[in-house]
Amino acid sequence: MAATSLNAPNAPLLQKTHQTHVFLKPISTIPCQTSAKRFSISCSPTTQDRLSVQSQSQDRVFNFAAGPATLPENVLLKAQSELYNWHGSGMSVMEMSHRGKDFRSIIEKAEADLRSLLNIPENYAVLFLQGGATTQFAAVPLNLCAPGDSVDYLVTGSWGDKAFKEAKKYCNPKVIWSGKSENYVRVPSFDGLELNPNAKYLHICANETIYGVEFKDYPVPRNPNGVLVADMSSNFCSKPVDVTKFGLIYAGAQKNVGPSGVCIVIVRKDLLGNAQESTPVMLDYKIHADNNSLYNTPPCYGIYMCGLVFEDLLKQGGLEEVEKKNQKKAGILYNAIDESKGFYRCPVEKSVRSLMNVPFTLEKSELGAEFLKEAEKEKMVQLKGHRSVGGMRASIYNAMPLAGVEKLVAFMKDFQAKHA
Ligand code: PMP
């Protein structure tokens, strides 16, 4: 990166040492002023990678958005340091040919790191695609069934419902269970499910981002030749997953692993090659698998960012360690809600509460606007629940530091003390 650009008025203070940019400012604390008491919580990066960068986090907020969402601070800083001139190539990753050796090394490393993180076997293809998870709602039936084929959808929230509705255009899907009448608060027992013995696949949304319902284990299709398909957009890489239980996993990147614009598909190779005739070339998984996700120009910069996140997750000790951190963060937030004597309430059944998206309501719903305003003053943003459910929602993906959740919990207790 050129020294001049770093010396711009708002640029971080950097010193270049042996190719590594070292931040000179100390890790800061974010003071949090409320009328009842003052508290101060450290907002240092969650990752181990503190040797190369130190935080400038006084400039950043705690972003509880559901996606696009907060990214690991050290990943952003690394991307910043490589933005202008990637590894001495004389150009930014944004300017590189997707067919050149530099970008190839980036996409190959991203794939290899993701394979080690999730322990993805060789008989699965990993695809970096565009069009978001919404495009996969169509691509999945187009690739896995003929127009008349039966498939099952287990609907535990509005994303699963959207996937089902899209599939109706391309095959014969049936909702075998829906939590809609109960406002999506649970996952059913798998024993009583009326699974179709001929269904080509069983589709689930592993974590419903809006309602905060997360599968903790997975149903098995009744058809021995059928496969389980999961939309993992909002809990991808948040915990270890046994990929071999699935025929296909898809996930938009913009929650846990990168910016929007990249959608990752992990698909068992034997399922490829049977796409419906009318399938657009861009939705045919085999075309992308045969071309290592380089059939056309892929979302290069997004893939690079995902690669940096994968590298960071590996440095943190892999997904077992990441899951422990996520359990701890979610634990303190759900406890605060449950111990609030009804001031805050999370409607989701305890056994399937999401580690990623924590929806909650205020008993005095008229205080919602003030809650959001006060939180924002304390640099905690995007806590508003989805427009279809109201209330609040704290999305606490991998990159949300423990300090962010601690600060939110302290704020919630303080807000309650003021308004109970
Ligand atoms: N599935 C889930 C679980 C989601 O959370 C979202 C986005 N919030 C989508 C699908 C749609 O993703 P995209 O906007 O990338 O198409």
Side-chain angles (χ1 to χ4, degrees), residues 239-292:
K239 59 183 178 184
V241 165
D242 180 356
V243 170
T244 64
K245 289 188 173 166
F246 301 85
L248 190 148
I249 291 169
Y250 62 95
Q254 69 269 24
K255 287 116 183 5
N256 259 333
V257 297
S260 62
V262 182
C263 184
I264 292 161
V265 172
I266 301 169
V267 55
R268 225 174 60 202
K269 288 178 182 167
D270 63 289
L271 300 170
L272 299 173
N274 301 308
Q276 292 182 24
E277 233 170 77
S278 62
T279 306
V281 71
M282 280 300 287
L283 301 197
D284 187 333
Y285 294 141
K286 182 158 172 26
I287 300 266
H288 293 292
D290 287 349
N291 290 279
N292 300 316

Side-chain angles (χ1 to χ4, degrees), residues 99 104 107 127 285-296:
R99 309 217 176 271
R104 269 179 195 267
I107 194 170
L127 311 176
Y285 294 141
K286 182 158 172 26
I287 300 266
H288 293 292
D290 287 349
N291 290 279
N292 300 316
S293 302
L294 296 169
Y295 173 72
N296 73 325

Side-chain angles (χ1 to χ4, degrees), residues 25-90:
K25 285 192 176 178
I27 292 173
S28 64
T29 58
I30 295 184
C32 181
Q33 177 72 54
T34 71
S35 62
K37 64 179 178 206
R38 188 178 168 83
F39 51 93
S40 173
I41 291 167
S42 166
C43 179
S44 58
T46 48
T47 65
Q48 320 299 305
D49 197 18
R50 289 191 188 143
L51 285 177
S52 58
V53 289
Q54 285 197 346
S55 166
Q56 288 243 310
S57 51
Q58 74 272 23
D59 298 331
R60 283 176 55 85
V61 295
F62 284 121
N63 175 8
F64 292 92
T70 193
L71 283 165
E73 195 175 52
N74 67 321
V75 163
L76 292 175
L77 292 170
K78 181 159 189 201
Q80 182 188 43
S81 76
E82 295 181 341
L83 180 91
Y84 187 72
N85 181 353
W86 182 84
H87 292 204
S89 64

Side-chain angles (χ1 to χ4, degrees), residues 21 44 252 345 360 389:
H21 292 117
S44 58
R345 219 175 70 79
F360 60 95
V389 288

Side-chain angles (χ1 to χ4, degrees), residues 133-142 145 147 149-180 184 196 199 201-205 208 229-231 250:
T134 305
T135 303
Q136 307 318 314
F137 295 167
V140 165
L142 279 167
C145 27
D149 283 347
S150 297
V151 294
D152 287 344
Y153 278 71
L154 205 173
V155 177
T156 53
S158 45
W159 291 111
D161 187 49
K162 281 197 172 147
F164 160 71
K165 286 182 175 136
E166 186 73 348
K168 282 207 269 188
K169 299 176 190 166
Y170 307 108
C171 62
N172 184 20
K174 184 176 173 204
V175 173
I176 52 153
W177 187 89
S178 168
K180 189 166 188 180
Y184 297 125
N196 181 341
Y201 64 79
L202 165 62
H203 182 281
I204 61 167
C205 177
E208 281 285 353
V229 173
D231 174 358
Y250 62 95

